[in-house]
Amino acid sequence: MKLVYDFLYIIGMLLSSTFIYILFKSKEHNLSKSILIVFFVLLILVLLESYGFIHNIRSLLYSSFIVAHGSKLLIGPLLLTYIQALFFDDQQVLKKNRILFLPYLIFAVSISLPYAVARLFDGYFVSHIYFIENYNQYLRLGQGIILLLFIAFGFIQFLKFKTILKCNYSTIEHNNFIWVRYLLLSVIIIISIDLLMTISQLVFNALPIRSQNISMALIAIALIYGAYFGINQTKVLVPYFLLEEESHTQQVTNKTIDKIQETEFIQLKTSLLTYIKDEKPYLDEEL
């Protein structure tokens, strides 16, 4: 089983690193892409923490533990900010949502960091070792519920924004809407399974294995499918140089038209605009 975990974790970290490279090399740098970069960096650290636990690599385990331990408190605000940044001004969204990241910072500094120091250098912060080792499942449960609430609220906002802009994909294309929906649903599914396993351990003590390893494996599987879908069906994760090459291959041919054709074109344009204004065919979802 350890080999399966190793394979999935390594693939997940490699894919996350590839996504980071693609997003970093993108010509357009905005808040939504920056958030995705932070999100994939966070996934790498989370996978590293589980990899370090499996192989008992103390330095790797506790260096990544500082970030990974409270990661659910960070993923929720990150994805909510990502959704809002797709539709609204970056500066306003960032200013409005800064306070949402405060609980994660407090948790990391007051709980995760002292615990990592205590485990690496025996004799320090003994109370933190006792607290986390005895109440870690309750911490996981609380973080999972908070993350699920964030994602549910973000998903509702995403659907609302999509409905408002369903006839105008100038900010994000239709297929990319599907990719964002997949991202949110995958997080909901994984965190729901993680919550069920956590509750099972608390109530029935039913899982003899580390349930976090299963959650990390699910994250890696989601990354594998996300890579396939994101690269093959959307432009979210397509390298910018491929898009440039695609645009260069499209050649525009100039044609001259006579006065009669020009008049017909003007009449067609007027009729089309009138029809759009009066009939509103763009509101038809099946169009």
Side-chain angles (χ1 to χ4, degrees):
M1 193 65 184
K2 185 184 291 187
L3 290 176
V4 175
Y5 285 144
D6 283 349
F7 172 77
L8 289 175
Y9 293 173
I10 291 171
I11 291 296
M13 287 186 283
L14 286 174
L15 286 174
S16 295
S17 301
T18 303
F19 296 160
I20 292 169
Y21 173 77
I22 291 172
L23 291 165
F24 184 76
K25 294 291 290 183
S26 173
K27 294 183 68 176
E28 294 182 5
H29 294 284
N30 49 41
L31 181 59
S32 60
K33 288 191 176 181
S34 298
I35 290 174
L36 282 182
I37 291 174
V38 174
F39 176 74
F40 287 122
V41 169
L42 183 60
L43 290 186
I44 291 175
L45 292 173
V46 168
L47 291 169
L48 271 177
E49 191 265 342
S50 287
Y51 185 86
F53 179 86
I54 290 177
H55 295 279
N56 197 26
I57 307 174
R58 284 169 55 87
S59 58
L60 181 62
L61 170 61
Y62 293 114
S63 60
S64 55
F65 176 87
I66 297 171
V67 177
H69 186 223
S71 57
K72 294 172 186 175
L73 295 176
L74 181 57
I75 291 175
L78 270 178
L79 292 182
L80 179 61
T81 305
Y82 170 68
I83 293 167
Q84 294 176 351
L86 293 173
F87 300 95
F88 299 108
D89 178 71
D90 289 356
Q91 295 300 322
Q92 291 182 357
V93 170
L94 196 57
K95 183 178 180 180
K96 177 183 176 182
N97 290 2
R98 280 184 300 182
I99 194 172
L100 299 178
F101 298 92
L102 187 59
Y104 169 77
L105 292 175
I106 295 174
F107 186 89
V109 172
S110 62
I111 296 179
S112 304
L113 178 59
Y115 178 81
V117 172
R119 299 302 296 178
L120 282 172
F121 307 101
D122 296 333
Y124 296 92
F125 302 106
V126 177
S127 60
H128 282 74
I129 296 177
Y130 173 82
F131 177 77
I132 290 181
E133 291 184 351
N134 285 274
Y135 296 98
N136 190 47
Q137 295 301 332
Y138 293 99
L139 292 173
R140 284 185 61 196
L141 182 63
Q143 288 187 50
I145 293 173
I146 292 172
L147 173 56
L148 200 58
L149 291 174
F150 262 107
I151 299 302
F153 179 69
F155 196 73
I156 292 171
Q157 283 202 320
F158 170 72
L159 293 177
K160 181 177 71 174
F161 298 152
K162 178 190 172 185
T163 302
I164 294 172
L165 298 179
K166 65 183 177 181
C167 61
N168 180 11
Y169 296 135
S170 59
T171 304
I172 177 172
E173 294 184 1
H174 178 65
N175 281 344
N176 294 343
F177 270 126
I178 300 175
W179 189 88
V180 175
R181 186 175 62 188
Y182 162 76
L183 175 65
L184 296 175
L185 286 175
S186 62
V187 174
I188 289 174
I189 292 170
I190 292 172
I191 197 60
S192 297
I193 294 173
D194 184 76
L195 279 174
L196 288 175
M197 291 189 294
T198 303
I199 294 172
S200 177
Q201 286 184 320
L202 286 171
V203 178
F204 305 107
N205 195 23
L207 292 175
I209 60 175
R210 189 175 185 249
S211 59
Q212 287 173 268
N213 292 341
I214 300 176
S215 299
M216 296 306 104
L218 291 174
I219 289 174
I221 293 171
L223 283 169
I224 292 170
Y225 180 77
Y228 168 78
F229 182 82
I231 291 175
N232 282 275
Q233 300 190 41
T234 79
K235 293 182 180 179
V236 174
L237 299 174
V238 177
Y240 75 96
F241 46 83
L242 293 182
L243 297 179
E244 285 185 341
E245 183 178 340
E246 178 184 340
S247 63
H248 288 328
T249 58
Q250 297 176 352
Q251 297 180 354
V252 179
T253 303
N254 293 325
K255 293 181 65 177
T256 59
I257 58 175
D258 56 33
K259 288 292 183 180
I260 298 177
Q261 289 177 316
E262 184 177 359
T263 302
E264 291 176 350
F265 289 153
I266 293 174
Q267 291 174 347
L268 285 172
K269 178 182 176 181
T270 303
S271 300
L272 179 60
L273 292 175
T274 302
Y275 177 74
I276 291 175
K277 180 180 179 181
D278 296 339
E279 302 296 331
K280 297 181 174 59
Y282 50 81
L283 296 178
D284 182 6
E285 293 183 355
E286 302 299 325
L287 182 63

